[in-house]
Structure formats: C-alpha cells, structure tokens
Amino acid sequence: MRTSHSQAMDPLSEIVFGQECVRCGDQDGPLCQGCCALLKSNPPTCPFCSRLSTLGIVCQFHRGQAVTAGLSLAPYTDNFHPVLWAAKFKRNRALAELLAHSLAQAVERTGWEVELVTFVPSHWLNRIRRGYILSELCARTVASRLQLPLVNTLVSRTIASQVGLGRRSRLENPIHRFGRRSHVPSRVVLVDDIRTTGATLTRCAALLREGGARRVYTATIFAENMR
C-alpha cells in the first residue's frame, strides 16, 4: 500500500512545515527552510562577544571567566526577535522544539567531551505561565541527542528575569538570582535561550565550577551582540 506524502513525513518535517514562518511570513513554518539555514551558517565566536574564535573558546578580552567555550546559533537581530518571543513567551511549542533540535545538532558537531547537560533555570511560576521553560526544553533535546544525563543543578531564587533590564541591572541581577542544588561532574554543557551581556552564563558557570566542574561549555540559541 502506498503511503501519502503527508503520512511519510518524519516528526521533524511535521514541525517545520504546515504553518507560517514566524520570522519571514513564508508558509513553510513555524520557521522556513531559509530561516532555519541562518541558524547553521554562523562561524564560531567567543561565548561573550562577536569576535571570531577558533572552536568558540573565550577570546583574549574575556579570559578568566568561568566559561571554557561556547556557541550560539544566530545573532539576535530584529528579524529574530519575534522568533524567540514566540518560542519563549507565546507557547509556540513546535517552534521551540525546532530551535531545540537545531541547537542539539550544533552542540553535537562541536565534539565537546562532556558528562552532563544542565540549563539556566527559570522560576517555577514561569513554567505555569508558559507551559514549559525554553532553556530546559533545549537542554533536554541536547541531552537526548548526546545520550547524556540531564540534571537540574541550578535553581532560580526569584522570579526576576533579565527581560527589560538595563545593562547595569543585567550584570547585577544574576548574582542574587541563582543558586546551586548539587555537585556536578568535571565537564558540563550549560544551555540557555539567549546570551546578552553574558552575566547570566558567567554566574551559572561559576556556580557549576564551585560544584566541581572543571570545564563549562555554553550553548544558546541566540546571542545579542554577535556581528
């Protein structure tokens, strides 16, 4: 018996096609093939800035930070702003899963030797409001692809987020916001949805280092200050 095209589509294809693209309005959504390609064409940069950096290691201007190396899929330009907001705040689960798969593929390509995947946490009230936490969903997908344990090693002590804060507040907020739950192994991947000033990743990576990590790799979907 012949199978129709729609029946033959794999789960990822079902995620990609059948609705309008959030970024450009094409019909092959929630993110069309052209926009998906933009998530895979960026060269490695420093985890804290837009400077090109071999294998995504920390550049000379940011040495001494707790992060070993990192990656981001794309710059957070105005065109990608509605993509993050739809996935993070508007409960577009299909789009969130597509971004998570793209991030997992990028992490796999790095060849990082890691033992555990964790994520930047959000307050439990946000889970109720949104239905899921984007950073956790991405981390779960990364862990599944790498066949590694996913452990919620960090905790968010307050509901205050970085959204809408000025640069000074963004740098100060993570110091009081996050804490650590448990000991961690020596090589860890830390997942978040976006890197802006790098303050959140720095604080969380420092907590992981205090808990036993010797190498902390970061993976985010977007980076605000990439060129």
mmCIF file of all heavy atoms in Angstrom, residues 53-94:
data_model
loop_
_atom_site.group_PDB
_atom_site.id
_atom_site.type_symbol
_atom_site.label_atom_id
_atom_site.label_comp_id
_atom_site.label_asym_id
_atom_site.label_seq_id
_atom_site.Cartn_x
_atom_site.Cartn_y
_atom_site.Cartn_z
ATOM 1 N N SER A 53 36.422 33.204 17.015
ATOM 2 C CA SER A 53 37.258 32.454 17.958
ATOM 3 C C SER A 53 37.248 30.984 17.576
ATOM 4 O O SER A 53 36.190 30.364 17.476
ATOM 5 C CB SER A 53 36.729 32.622 19.385
ATOM 6 O OG SER A 53 37.447 31.829 20.295
ATOM 7 N N THR A 54 38.409 30.407 17.362
ATOM 8 C CA THR A 54 38.510 29.006 16.990
ATOM 9 C C THR A 54 37.817 28.116 18.022
ATOM 10 O O THR A 54 38.078 28.222 19.212
ATOM 11 C CB THR A 54 39.992 28.589 16.875
ATOM 12 O OG1 THR A 54 40.630 29.453 15.937
ATOM 13 C CG2 THR A 54 40.108 27.143 16.419
ATOM 14 N N LEU A 55 36.916 27.278 17.541
ATOM 15 C CA LEU A 55 36.177 26.330 18.384
ATOM 16 C C LEU A 55 35.331 27.008 19.462
ATOM 17 O O LEU A 55 34.899 26.373 20.417
ATOM 18 C CB LEU A 55 37.148 25.326 19.044
ATOM 19 C CG LEU A 55 38.012 24.508 18.085
ATOM 20 C CD1 LEU A 55 38.947 23.593 18.877
ATOM 21 C CD2 LEU A 55 37.144 23.685 17.144
ATOM 22 N N GLY A 56 35.090 28.318 19.318
ATOM 23 C CA GLY A 56 34.242 29.012 20.273
ATOM 24 C C GLY A 56 34.849 29.215 21.639
ATOM 25 O O GLY A 56 34.125 29.406 22.618
ATOM 26 N N ILE A 57 36.186 29.195 21.733
ATOM 27 C CA ILE A 57 36.821 29.404 23.036
ATOM 28 C C ILE A 57 36.773 30.882 23.410
ATOM 29 O O ILE A 57 36.563 31.747 22.567
ATOM 30 C CB ILE A 57 38.277 28.897 23.051
ATOM 31 C CG1 ILE A 57 39.119 29.669 22.018
ATOM 32 C CG2 ILE A 57 38.317 27.398 22.792
ATOM 33 C CD1 ILE A 57 40.592 29.299 22.048
ATOM 34 N N VAL A 58 36.999 31.174 24.690
ATOM 35 C CA VAL A 58 36.936 32.547 25.183
ATOM 36 C C VAL A 58 38.084 33.355 24.581
ATOM 37 O O VAL A 58 39.227 32.920 24.564
ATOM 38 C CB VAL A 58 37.010 32.563 26.716
ATOM 39 C CG1 VAL A 58 37.012 33.985 27.242
ATOM 40 C CG2 VAL A 58 35.845 31.779 27.309
ATOM 41 N N CYS A 59 37.774 34.559 24.080
ATOM 42 C CA CYS A 59 38.800 35.402 23.451
ATOM 43 C C CYS A 59 39.684 36.054 24.507
ATOM 44 O O CYS A 59 39.422 35.977 25.708
ATOM 45 C CB CYS A 59 38.139 36.470 22.578
ATOM 46 S SG CYS A 59 37.342 37.794 23.507
ATOM 47 N N GLN A 60 40.735 36.746 24.038
ATOM 48 C CA GLN A 60 41.720 37.340 24.950
ATOM 49 C C GLN A 60 41.111 38.414 25.846
ATOM 50 O O GLN A 60 41.630 38.689 26.933
ATOM 51 C CB GLN A 60 42.865 37.936 24.146
ATOM 52 C CG GLN A 60 42.447 39.043 23.182
ATOM 53 C CD GLN A 60 43.607 39.647 22.445
ATOM 54 O OE1 GLN A 60 44.701 39.738 22.989
ATOM 55 N NE2 GLN A 60 43.391 40.036 21.188
ATOM 56 N N PHE A 61 40.011 39.017 25.423
ATOM 57 C CA PHE A 61 39.387 40.083 26.206
ATOM 58 C C PHE A 61 38.488 39.542 27.324
ATOM 59 O O PHE A 61 38.063 40.293 28.194
ATOM 60 C CB PHE A 61 38.571 40.995 25.287
ATOM 61 C CG PHE A 61 39.395 41.675 24.236
ATOM 62 C CD1 PHE A 61 39.453 41.161 22.948
ATOM 63 C CD2 PHE A 61 40.137 42.809 24.532
ATOM 64 C CE1 PHE A 61 40.220 41.781 21.975
ATOM 65 C CE2 PHE A 61 40.908 43.435 23.572
ATOM 66 C CZ PHE A 61 40.954 42.921 22.281
ATOM 67 N N HIS A 62 38.177 38.244 27.278
ATOM 68 C CA HIS A 62 37.280 37.661 28.282
ATOM 69 C C HIS A 62 37.887 36.468 29.012
ATOM 70 O O HIS A 62 37.163 35.695 29.638
ATOM 71 C CB HIS A 62 35.953 37.250 27.615
ATOM 72 C CG HIS A 62 35.146 38.410 27.145
ATOM 73 N ND1 HIS A 62 35.185 38.886 25.856
ATOM 74 C CD2 HIS A 62 34.280 39.231 27.812
ATOM 75 C CE1 HIS A 62 34.391 39.922 25.741
ATOM 76 N NE2 HIS A 62 33.821 40.152 26.902
ATOM 77 N N ARG A 63 39.180 36.327 28.937
ATOM 78 C CA ARG A 63 39.835 35.239 29.667
ATOM 79 C C ARG A 63 39.681 35.458 31.166
ATOM 80 O O ARG A 63 39.628 36.567 31.651
ATOM 81 C CB ARG A 63 41.318 35.178 29.288
ATOM 82 C CG ARG A 63 41.543 34.614 27.894
ATOM 83 C CD ARG A 63 42.985 34.696 27.475
ATOM 84 N NE ARG A 63 43.153 34.291 26.079
ATOM 85 C CZ ARG A 63 44.216 34.535 25.339
ATOM 86 N NH1 ARG A 63 45.238 35.208 25.871
ATOM 87 N NH2 ARG A 63 44.277 34.141 24.084
ATOM 88 N N GLY A 64 39.632 34.360 31.898
ATOM 89 C CA GLY A 64 39.430 34.441 33.334
ATOM 90 C C GLY A 64 37.985 34.229 33.736
ATOM 91 O O GLY A 64 37.663 34.106 34.924
ATOM 92 N N GLN A 65 37.070 34.166 32.748
ATOM 93 C CA GLN A 65 35.681 33.868 33.041
ATOM 94 C C GLN A 65 35.526 32.373 33.317
ATOM 95 O O GLN A 65 36.414 31.580 33.036
ATOM 96 C CB GLN A 65 34.795 34.269 31.854
ATOM 97 C CG GLN A 65 34.933 35.725 31.442
ATOM 98 C CD GLN A 65 34.210 36.680 32.388
ATOM 99 O OE1 GLN A 65 33.560 36.244 33.331
ATOM 100 N NE2 GLN A 65 34.332 37.971 32.135
ATOM 101 N N ALA A 66 34.382 31.998 33.870
ATOM 102 C CA ALA A 66 34.163 30.596 34.239
ATOM 103 C C ALA A 66 33.821 29.714 33.048
ATOM 104 O O ALA A 66 33.821 28.490 33.158
ATOM 105 C CB ALA A 66 33.049 30.506 35.283
ATOM 106 N N VAL A 67 33.520 30.326 31.910
ATOM 107 C CA VAL A 67 33.138 29.564 30.719
ATOM 108 C C VAL A 67 34.368 29.133 29.938
ATOM 109 O O VAL A 67 35.276 29.926 29.694
ATOM 110 C CB VAL A 67 32.217 30.404 29.808
ATOM 111 C CG1 VAL A 67 31.905 29.663 28.513
ATOM 112 C CG2 VAL A 67 30.932 30.766 30.537
ATOM 113 N N THR A 68 34.400 27.858 29.539
ATOM 114 C CA THR A 68 35.522 27.321 28.766
ATOM 115 C C THR A 68 35.385 27.661 27.291
ATOM 116 O O THR A 68 36.324 28.133 26.648
ATOM 117 C CB THR A 68 35.594 25.794 28.933
ATOM 118 O OG1 THR A 68 35.701 25.486 30.325
ATOM 119 C CG2 THR A 68 36.780 25.213 28.175
ATOM 120 N N ALA A 69 34.232 27.377 26.725
ATOM 121 C CA ALA A 69 33.937 27.643 25.316
ATOM 122 C C ALA A 69 32.425 27.636 25.157
ATOM 123 O O ALA A 69 31.696 27.199 26.054
ATOM 124 C CB ALA A 69 34.581 26.599 24.409
ATOM 125 N N GLY A 70 31.954 28.109 24.015
ATOM 126 C CA GLY A 70 30.509 28.144 23.826
ATOM 127 C C GLY A 70 30.123 28.361 22.385
ATOM 128 O O GLY A 70 30.969 28.605 21.525
ATOM 129 N N LEU A 71 28.821 28.278 22.147
ATOM 130 C CA LEU A 71 28.293 28.527 20.808
ATOM 131 C C LEU A 71 26.919 29.174 20.899
ATOM 132 O O LEU A 71 26.207 29.019 21.896
ATOM 133 C CB LEU A 71 28.212 27.228 19.996
ATOM 134 C CG LEU A 71 27.200 26.159 20.423
ATOM 135 C CD1 LEU A 71 25.800 26.403 19.853
ATOM 136 C CD2 LEU A 71 27.668 24.792 19.994
ATOM 137 N N SER A 72 26.589 29.927 19.850
ATOM 138 C CA SER A 72 25.248 30.465 19.660
ATOM 139 C C SER A 72 24.883 30.239 18.206
ATOM 140 O O SER A 72 25.742 30.336 17.326
ATOM 141 C CB SER A 72 25.200 31.958 19.998
ATOM 142 O OG SER A 72 25.488 32.183 21.360
ATOM 143 N N LEU A 73 23.628 29.942 17.944
ATOM 144 C CA LEU A 73 23.221 29.620 16.585
ATOM 145 C C LEU A 73 23.151 30.840 15.680
ATOM 146 O O LEU A 73 23.497 30.767 14.510
ATOM 147 C CB LEU A 73 21.851 28.934 16.595
ATOM 148 C CG LEU A 73 21.758 27.559 17.248
ATOM 149 C CD1 LEU A 73 20.338 27.028 17.102
ATOM 150 C CD2 LEU A 73 22.754 26.588 16.626
ATOM 151 N N ALA A 74 22.677 31.969 16.206
ATOM 152 C CA ALA A 74 22.466 33.130 15.348
ATOM 153 C C ALA A 74 22.474 34.404 16.179
ATOM 154 O O ALA A 74 22.205 34.380 17.382
ATOM 155 C CB ALA A 74 21.126 33.004 14.619
ATOM 156 N N PRO A 75 22.772 35.549 15.522
ATOM 157 C CA PRO A 75 22.686 36.833 16.219
ATOM 158 C C PRO A 75 21.232 37.201 16.474
ATOM 159 O O PRO A 75 20.358 36.914 15.660
ATOM 160 C CB PRO A 75 23.358 37.818 15.243
ATOM 161 C CG PRO A 75 23.180 37.185 13.904
ATOM 162 C CD PRO A 75 23.240 35.698 14.133
ATOM 163 N N TYR A 76 20.995 37.840 17.607
ATOM 164 C CA TYR A 76 19.630 38.217 17.976
ATOM 165 C C TYR A 76 19.284 39.569 17.353
ATOM 166 O O TYR A 76 19.182 40.580 18.019
ATOM 167 C CB TYR A 76 19.510 38.271 19.494
ATOM 168 C CG TYR A 76 18.099 38.470 19.999
ATOM 169 C CD1 TYR A 76 17.079 37.612 19.630
ATOM 170 C CD2 TYR A 76 17.800 39.513 20.877
ATOM 171 C CE1 TYR A 76 15.794 37.780 20.108
ATOM 172 C CE2 TYR A 76 16.526 39.687 21.363
ATOM 173 C CZ TYR A 76 15.522 38.824 20.978
ATOM 174 O OH TYR A 76 14.245 38.994 21.458
ATOM 175 N N THR A 77 19.136 39.576 16.050
ATOM 176 C CA THR A 77 18.771 40.791 15.344
ATOM 177 C C THR A 77 17.272 41.024 15.459
ATOM 178 O O THR A 77 16.533 40.187 15.988
ATOM 179 C CB THR A 77 19.150 40.671 13.860
ATOM 180 O OG1 THR A 77 18.417 39.564 13.285
ATOM 181 C CG2 THR A 77 20.641 40.425 13.692
ATOM 182 N N ASP A 78 16.825 42.156 14.946
ATOM 183 C CA ASP A 78 15.385 42.457 14.975
ATOM 184 C C ASP A 78 14.577 41.370 14.270
ATOM 185 O O ASP A 78 13.459 41.056 14.667
ATOM 186 C CB ASP A 78 15.122 43.811 14.315
ATOM 187 C CG ASP A 78 15.653 44.969 15.151
ATOM 188 O OD1 ASP A 78 15.879 44.774 16.353
ATOM 189 O OD2 ASP A 78 15.829 46.052 14.580
ATOM 190 N N ASN A 79 15.130 40.784 13.231
ATOM 191 C CA ASN A 79 14.392 39.757 12.493
ATOM 192 C C ASN A 79 14.156 38.498 13.317
ATOM 193 O O ASN A 79 13.195 37.770 13.084
ATOM 194 C CB ASN A 79 15.138 39.398 11.204
ATOM 195 C CG ASN A 79 15.006 40.472 10.147
ATOM 196 O OD1 ASN A 79 14.111 41.304 10.210
ATOM 197 N ND2 ASN A 79 15.910 40.465 9.185
ATOM 198 N N PHE A 80 15.061 38.215 14.259
ATOM 199 C CA PHE A 80 14.897 37.016 15.083
ATOM 200 C C PHE A 80 14.175 37.295 16.403
ATOM 201 O O PHE A 80 13.876 36.354 17.142
ATOM 202 C CB PHE A 80 16.259 36.367 15.361
ATOM 203 C CG PHE A 80 16.663 35.370 14.311
ATOM 204 C CD1 PHE A 80 17.776 35.593 13.514
ATOM 205 C CD2 PHE A 80 15.936 34.207 14.127
ATOM 206 C CE1 PHE A 80 18.146 34.672 12.542
ATOM 207 C CE2 PHE A 80 16.293 33.285 13.164
ATOM 208 C CZ PHE A 80 17.401 33.515 12.361
ATOM 209 N N HIS A 81 13.914 38.554 16.694
ATOM 210 C CA HIS A 81 13.211 38.885 17.932
ATOM 211 C C HIS A 81 11.863 38.180 18.047
ATOM 212 O O HIS A 81 11.564 37.570 19.082
ATOM 213 C CB HIS A 81 13.037 40.406 18.042
ATOM 214 C CG HIS A 81 12.318 40.853 19.266
ATOM 215 N ND1 HIS A 81 10.941 40.976 19.320
ATOM 216 C CD2 HIS A 81 12.768 41.185 20.504
ATOM 217 C CE1 HIS A 81 10.581 41.377 20.529
ATOM 218 N NE2 HIS A 81 11.674 41.514 21.263
ATOM 219 N N PRO A 82 11.008 38.207 17.010
ATOM 220 C CA PRO A 82 9.716 37.507 17.135
ATOM 221 C C PRO A 82 9.858 35.998 17.253
ATOM 222 O O PRO A 82 8.971 35.331 17.792
ATOM 223 C CB PRO A 82 8.977 37.888 15.842
ATOM 224 C CG PRO A 82 10.030 38.316 14.889
ATOM 225 C CD PRO A 82 11.113 38.935 15.718
ATOM 226 N N VAL A 83 10.977 35.449 16.771
ATOM 227 C CA VAL A 83 11.188 34.004 16.868
ATOM 228 C C VAL A 83 11.376 33.603 18.327
ATOM 229 O O VAL A 83 10.725 32.674 18.835
ATOM 230 C CB VAL A 83 12.411 33.575 16.025
ATOM 231 C CG1 VAL A 83 12.703 32.089 16.226
ATOM 232 C CG2 VAL A 83 12.173 33.878 14.550
ATOM 233 N N LEU A 84 12.269 34.304 19.026
ATOM 234 C CA LEU A 84 12.491 33.986 20.436
ATOM 235 C C LEU A 84 11.236 34.221 21.265
ATOM 236 O O LEU A 84 10.873 33.401 22.111
ATOM 237 C CB LEU A 84 13.650 34.814 20.992
ATOM 238 C CG LEU A 84 13.956 34.568 22.479
ATOM 239 C CD1 LEU A 84 14.388 33.127 22.719
ATOM 240 C CD2 LEU A 84 15.030 35.531 22.981
ATOM 241 N N TRP A 85 10.549 35.321 21.003
ATOM 242 C CA TRP A 85 9.363 35.638 21.795
ATOM 243 C C TRP A 85 8.245 34.635 21.571
ATOM 244 O O TRP A 85 7.539 34.264 22.508
ATOM 245 C CB TRP A 85 8.894 37.069 21.502
ATOM 246 C CG TRP A 85 9.681 38.049 22.309
ATOM 247 C CD1 TRP A 85 10.974 38.423 22.103
ATOM 248 C CD2 TRP A 85 9.252 38.728 23.497
ATOM 249 N NE1 TRP A 85 11.383 39.314 23.071
ATOM 250 C CE2 TRP A 85 10.347 39.522 23.938
ATOM 251 C CE3 TRP A 85 8.066 38.767 24.199
ATOM 252 C CZ2 TRP A 85 10.267 40.329 25.071
ATOM 253 C CZ3 TRP A 85 7.988 39.573 25.334
ATOM 254 C CH2 TRP A 85 9.082 40.344 25.759
ATOM 255 N N ALA A 86 8.103 34.171 20.346
ATOM 256 C CA ALA A 86 7.069 33.165 20.081
ATOM 257 C C ALA A 86 7.393 31.850 20.765
ATOM 258 O O ALA A 86 6.516 31.182 21.313
ATOM 259 C CB ALA A 86 6.922 32.958 18.576
ATOM 260 N N ALA A 87 8.665 31.467 20.753
ATOM 261 C CA ALA A 87 9.073 30.195 21.354
ATOM 262 C C ALA A 87 9.092 30.257 22.876
ATOM 263 O O ALA A 87 8.750 29.289 23.552
ATOM 264 C CB ALA A 87 10.453 29.790 20.836
ATOM 265 N N LYS A 88 9.459 31.408 23.420
ATOM 266 C CA LYS A 88 9.660 31.522 24.873
ATOM 267 C C LYS A 88 8.423 31.985 25.630
ATOM 268 O O LYS A 88 8.129 31.480 26.717
ATOM 269 C CB LYS A 88 10.818 32.483 25.145
ATOM 270 C CG LYS A 88 11.241 32.567 26.612
ATOM 271 C CD LYS A 88 12.523 33.356 26.759
ATOM 272 C CE LYS A 88 12.982 33.387 28.212
ATOM 273 N NZ LYS A 88 14.299 34.067 28.361
ATOM 274 N N PHE A 89 7.697 32.940 25.053
ATOM 275 C CA PHE A 89 6.610 33.560 25.792
ATOM 276 C C PHE A 89 5.215 33.275 25.236
ATOM 277 O O PHE A 89 4.229 33.447 25.940
ATOM 278 C CB PHE A 89 6.812 35.086 25.835
ATOM 279 C CG PHE A 89 8.089 35.506 26.497
ATOM 280 C CD1 PHE A 89 9.101 36.103 25.770
ATOM 281 C CD2 PHE A 89 8.283 35.309 27.855
ATOM 282 C CE1 PHE A 89 10.282 36.495 26.371
ATOM 283 C CE2 PHE A 89 9.453 35.699 28.475
ATOM 284 C CZ PHE A 89 10.461 36.292 27.730
ATOM 285 N N LYS A 90 5.109 32.851 23.973
ATOM 286 C CA LYS A 90 3.800 32.706 23.351
ATOM 287 C C LYS A 90 3.381 31.253 23.146
ATOM 288 O O LYS A 90 2.489 30.955 22.361
ATOM 289 C CB LYS A 90 3.786 33.458 22.012
ATOM 290 C CG LYS A 90 3.966 34.956 22.187
ATOM 291 C CD LYS A 90 3.853 35.691 20.858
ATOM 292 C CE LYS A 90 3.991 37.197 21.049
ATOM 293 N NZ LYS A 90 3.899 37.921 19.753
ATOM 294 N N ARG A 91 4.085 30.341 23.803
ATOM 295 C CA ARG A 91 3.721 28.918 23.813
ATOM 296 C C ARG A 91 3.724 28.277 22.433
ATOM 297 O O ARG A 91 2.926 27.370 22.159
ATOM 298 C CB ARG A 91 2.351 28.716 24.473
ATOM 299 C CG ARG A 91 2.304 29.165 25.914
ATOM 300 C CD ARG A 91 1.037 28.724 26.597
ATOM 301 N NE ARG A 91 1.009 29.119 27.994
ATOM 302 C CZ ARG A 91 0.412 28.434 28.952
ATOM 303 N NH1 ARG A 91 -0.194 27.288 28.661
ATOM 304 N NH2 ARG A 91 0.405 28.851 30.192
ATOM 305 N N ASN A 92 4.600 28.726 21.557
ATOM 306 C CA ASN A 92 4.732 28.080 20.246
ATOM 307 C C ASN A 92 5.651 26.884 20.414
ATOM 308 O O ASN A 92 6.864 26.959 20.175
ATOM 309 C CB ASN A 92 5.282 29.063 19.205
ATOM 310 C CG ASN A 92 5.167 28.520 17.785
ATOM 311 O OD1 ASN A 92 5.256 27.321 17.554
ATOM 312 N ND2 ASN A 92 4.988 29.416 16.830
ATOM 313 N N ARG A 93 5.089 25.772 20.846
ATOM 314 C CA ARG A 93 5.873 24.591 21.188
ATOM 315 C C ARG A 93 6.582 24.003 19.959
ATOM 316 O O ARG A 93 7.713 23.530 20.061
ATOM 317 C CB ARG A 93 4.949 23.537 21.820
ATOM 318 C CG ARG A 93 5.642 22.269 22.305
ATOM 319 C CD ARG A 93 6.563 22.563 23.469
ATOM 320 N NE ARG A 93 7.220 21.373 23.959
ATOM 321 C CZ ARG A 93 6.933 20.754 25.112
ATOM 322 N NH1 ARG A 93 5.986 21.241 25.892
ATOM 323 N NH2 ARG A 93 7.592 19.696 25.484
ATOM 324 N N ALA A 94 5.915 24.026 18.803
ATOM 325 C CA ALA A 94 6.533 23.490 17.587
ATOM 326 C C ALA A 94 7.804 24.263 17.248
ATOM 327 O O ALA A 94 8.824 23.677 16.879
ATOM 328 C CB ALA A 94 5.550 23.536 16.425
#
